[in-house]
Amino acid sequence: MHQTVRLALATATAAALTGGLLTFTAATATAADSTVVAQADFNNDGYGDVAFSAYASYVNGKKHAGQVVVLYGTATGISSAKRSTISQNTAGVPGTAETGDLFGSEMEYADFNGDGYDDIAVASMGEDIGSDTDAGSLAILWGSASGITGKGSTVADPTPSSHDHWGQNLAAGDFDGDGKTDLAVGTNIATVQVLKGGFPGTGTPGGRYTFKPPILGSEADGPVNLTAGDVNGDGRTDVVVDGFETQTDYGWNTNYFVPGSAGGLTTSGIRTLKPGVITAIGDIDQDGYGDIVSGAQWNATTENGTAIPNSAKGGKVWVTYGTVDGPGTATGITQDTGNVPGTSEGNDWFGYELDLGDINGDGFLDLAIGVAGENIGSAVNTGAVTVLYGTASGLNTTSGGQSFAQSTAGVPGSDEDDDLFGMDVKLDDVTGDGRSDLVVGSGENAGNGAVTYLPSSGTKITTTGSRTVSPSTSGVSTTGTPQFGAIFAD
């Protein structure tokens, strides 16, 4: 069954993504409004904030009820000292924490009501609504001068009887160019709902419409990811839909470019892209057009003797550079490309997660790549993160690349089996110095999870000042496997 929440990599190891079968996906990394990657600022204090979930956490004894944690940026970075921890039992949050709700199974940030504070759309894809099992629910948690406090509004499902997992995928942007933030919402069917901007401090949108890309839509399908960004530079946000194509008997993983227009997102002009479950959009080379980055992290190159399109053992990252006409030339990157750190090996999952940001302040976007399945020494699936730097010619794969693992000097922790370091990554300026810092999620301690902060030195990512944020210091129970830090809001 396709899941939008991250499962343990051990599960994925048993059935990696090949053809039409996928056992895990994750929240997308997005550039919500433009060719510049937007960062969250929930309290509007000038420091970037990081929101993530512990979607499988126990809340008041309810298994997999789920929580959301917000770490607020400061001049010294992020820590559990300045945070909000929210569940459906928090005053003002719609709903009640119940077994299997998976609150935080998908999240997307944007200023939905235009008050200057970023908000978070939070899905609970396992929520039961009456007798409708796994119907899913969606809420917006409103930002304020105090950050995310729990004040929230329900975003109603307009067609609850036609699908399950309302909020399975989310992408925010100004798709019609009217200056208001819209929200695209996926479920377990192919049709995507678009809620028009103008949310007036409530969950009621300014209208809605739908579009349907050529992907599989059944009980176990629907979009794998939705990613927003302006690829063609026209001032309207476009969307990349990741799913399983319907044109062959194999149902290969495929990405589709859906352009924004004056009337919103439209499948007129839809384009097929390189594959990759995790997608980020931002203007790497600063030519005015958003570039699409996708991670095809699976290790298999064939299925039952049939070659999987565009695959590479160990994983491959595709960069499709934007043009005035939309997606242009695509370049594939593996750990065997140029001087990219590492070596392509089975089960590395190079491209397991991706995010874009400007680490050195040169105006060109840099790329953090999660390699969650990397084996280091005798540690299996311990994980690593690769950083590649942007230039006027695109990503530099010949020099300057960095690699971080928990065995890297100065990084907290140590390499252990199934740590999955890099299961999510985020590049945000959490110190307010104009440089993006690196935040890494992992499955530390058998799925408890952890978040590691690695700051920018001004020219590169450094381990000086690094720290780990844990569930126990953040108000999250370590009963079961909370998956703290497995999914970052985008």
Side-chain angles (χ1 to χ4, degrees), residues 52-55 57-59 65-69 85-87 103-104 475-477:
F52 56 89
S53 72
Y55 65 85
S57 63
Y58 278 66
V59 178
Q67 292 168 281
V68 170
V69 178
T85 301
I86 308 291
S87 76
F103 181 70
V476 173
S477 171

Side-chain angles (χ1 to χ4, degrees), residues 48 50 71 73-79 410-412 421 426 428-433 435-441 450-457 461-469 488:
V50 176
L71 303 180
T74 70
T76 56
I78 52 173
S79 72
V411 175
F421 187 76
K426 199 83 179 99
D428 269 347
D429 176 16
V430 298
T431 61
D433 65 354
R435 309 292 196 271
S436 293
D437 309 295
L438 176 61
V439 186
V440 182
V451 169
T452 301
Y453 162 66
L454 300 172
S456 168
S457 68
I461 296 298
T462 179
T463 61
T464 302
S466 63
R467 64 184 71 105
T468 295
V469 180
F488 293 158

Side-chain angles (χ1 to χ4, degrees), residues 5-6 29 31 68 70 126 130-131 168 207 213 322 339 363 372 394 398 407 450 467 476:
V5 295
R6 269 288 180 210
V68 170
V70 180
S131 61
Q168 173 175 294
N339 289 315
T398 60
S407 55
R467 64 184 71 105
V476 173

Side-chain angles (χ1 to χ4, degrees), residues 9 335 341-343 345-349 369-386 402-409 411-422 440 444:
L9 191 59
Q335 288 179 294
T343 302
E345 299 170 312
N347 298 334
D348 277 352
W349 279 283
I369 303 170
V371 196
E374 186 85 39
N375 299 336
I376 300 176
S378 61
V380 177
N381 295 338
T382 189
V385 176
T386 297
Q402 295 179 280
S403 180
F404 297 93
Q406 288 182 293
S407 55
T408 303
V411 175
S414 59
D415 294 335
E416 301 168 313
D417 289 352
D418 300 321
D419 272 353
L420 315 180
F421 187 76
V440 182
E444 188 79 19

